Amino acid sequence: MARLAHIAMGIASSYIFRRLLLIVPTLIGILLVNFVIIQAAPGGPVDQAIARLMGEGVTATAGVGGGSGAGSSAPGAQSSYEFSRGLDPELIAELEQQFGFDKPAHIRFLIMLRDYFSFDFGDSYYQDVPVVDLVLDRLPVSLSLGIASLLIVYLVSLPLGIRKAVLDGSPFDVWTSVVILVGYAIPAFILAMLLIILFCGGEFFSWFPLRGLVSDGYSDMALADRIRDRIWHLAMPVAAMVAGSFATLTMLTKNSFLEEINKQYVLTAEAKGLAPRRVLYGHVFRNAMLIVIAGFPAALLGMLFTGGVLIEVIFSLRGIGLLGFEAIISRDYPIVFGTLFVFTLLGLVTQLIADVIYMLVDPRIDFGRRDS
């Protein structure tokens, strides 16, 4: 038995090692695709800097990502930037050098890969602050929003899904399905605006704050007051985020339990006279929760970094989502690519963690067969 366990661990370790090796080419591929797309997008940082100098605002539309004119602004050369007429070519060359567009695109990409794989994400173009510091400064807001939302979703969806499985086809099952599907059908940003109108001083009540995560003087409050203040500010953003998240997890839990309840081992346990509650939580629970538990890492990552982008924008919460949104609007490429690299890396790692959790929860999973 010990020998079999040793062989199984060896196969799992080999599978995990190969998956870790695949992370590198996957990251490179994702960064390359996004790099090419951004290079083809009009209105890059050089375009916007030239537009501001020429008094045209920040709506420059020519140029390829602000980098297609690299090397074309030498004295005597025709610049490819729309608003560059009348500007000294040396000034344009200085702008290109300032934003790193004085080199060919493939050289810039290779330099970016070298820096990113050493976790050097550079400085923001416009804030003159290291990208790492900006991310760390915004991270607590996204963590507060994501963790609170995830806890509420799991605390409601798991018992609700189990109850719906036990009472499958009953009136309770029907009306709860209608409620969660209606919540799923309403986009989060629409619900967020509705909540603002109703409860944040829009038209009716002013029960909750409109923006921000804490009140003025938060640092001087006692611990209990800080907790209440944080919950007060999180109530509406979290409500907007979780409303559409109950349906998927609830129905997943219900269907998983229904599948297990109808299996032979459950019928055998009931025939032996075991109480229904003991059968449900002593035998069915572990097998039915396999897929739910294994999906937790990916759900956590989604709630933390992707689920709250529009919510952060609407409620003016200075989190990772709002940071990325502002970076895209202003073409702050170090922030755009830095956050993309971090999120992609975390996504690949959490998917690997999900596989390992599958193995820990259900040792019957064969990594060797799956890999082949």
Side-chain angles (χ1 to χ4, degrees), residues 287-343:
N287 294 329
M289 288 297 292
L290 171 61
I291 190 171
V292 177
I293 295 174
F296 183 82
L300 176 61
L301 184 67
M303 280 289 186
L304 290 180
F305 300 116
T306 60
V309 176
L310 288 177
I311 301 301
E312 290 182 9
V313 173
I314 292 172
F315 286 96
S316 301
L317 299 174
R318 297 182 61 78
I320 299 294
L322 184 58
L323 176 66
F325 177 80
E326 293 171 342
I328 293 173
I329 295 299
S330 64
R331 301 298 196 274
D332 200 337
Y333 292 160
I335 296 178
V336 173
F337 283 111
T339 52
L340 173 67
F341 180 87
V342 173
F343 295 165

Side-chain angles (χ1 to χ4, degrees), residues 128-170:
D128 197 26
V129 176
V131 173
V132 173
D133 292 344
L134 288 172
V135 172
L136 293 178
D137 180 60
R138 302 290 188 94
L139 188 59
V141 177
S142 293
L143 285 175
S144 299
L145 189 61
I147 292 177
S149 301
L150 192 66
L151 285 176
I152 292 175
V153 169
Y154 267 77
L155 289 175
V156 172
S157 296
L158 294 185
L160 179 60
I162 295 172
R163 187 67 175 170
K164 285 171 66 65
V166 174
L167 300 177
D168 183 41
S170 68

Side-chain angles (χ1 to χ4, degrees), residues 73-126:
S73 56
Q78 179 66 35
S79 174
S80 64
Y81 303 110
E82 181 180 2
F83 299 107
S84 62
R85 294 179 182 179
L87 286 181
D88 187 346
E90 294 185 358
L91 175 59
I92 298 177
E94 290 179 3
L95 290 174
E96 291 180 336
Q97 184 177 11
Q98 174 185 348
F99 293 108
F101 290 107
D102 56 331
K103 301 178 180 64
H106 68 282
I107 298 298
R108 298 201 307 272
F109 180 71
L110 293 176
I111 292 175
M112 183 180 71
L113 288 182
R114 180 200 65 191
D115 294 339
Y116 281 17
F117 278 100
S118 62
F119 293 95
D120 178 9
F121 303 117
D123 295 343
S124 167
Y125 282 159
Y126 307 110

Side-chain angles (χ1 to χ4, degrees), residues 207-222:
W207 293 348
F208 297 94
L210 178 60
R211 59 176 58 89
L213 191 62
V214 295
S215 302
D216 295 336
Y218 176 81
S219 58
D220 299 327
M221 296 180 183

Side-chain angles (χ1 to χ4, degrees), residues 33 38 58 73 86 104 155 161 183 198 218 259 270 279 305:
V33 170
I38 287 181
V58 292
S73 56
L155 289 175
L198 291 177
Y218 176 81
E259 182 180 356
E270 292 175 344
V279 174
F305 300 116

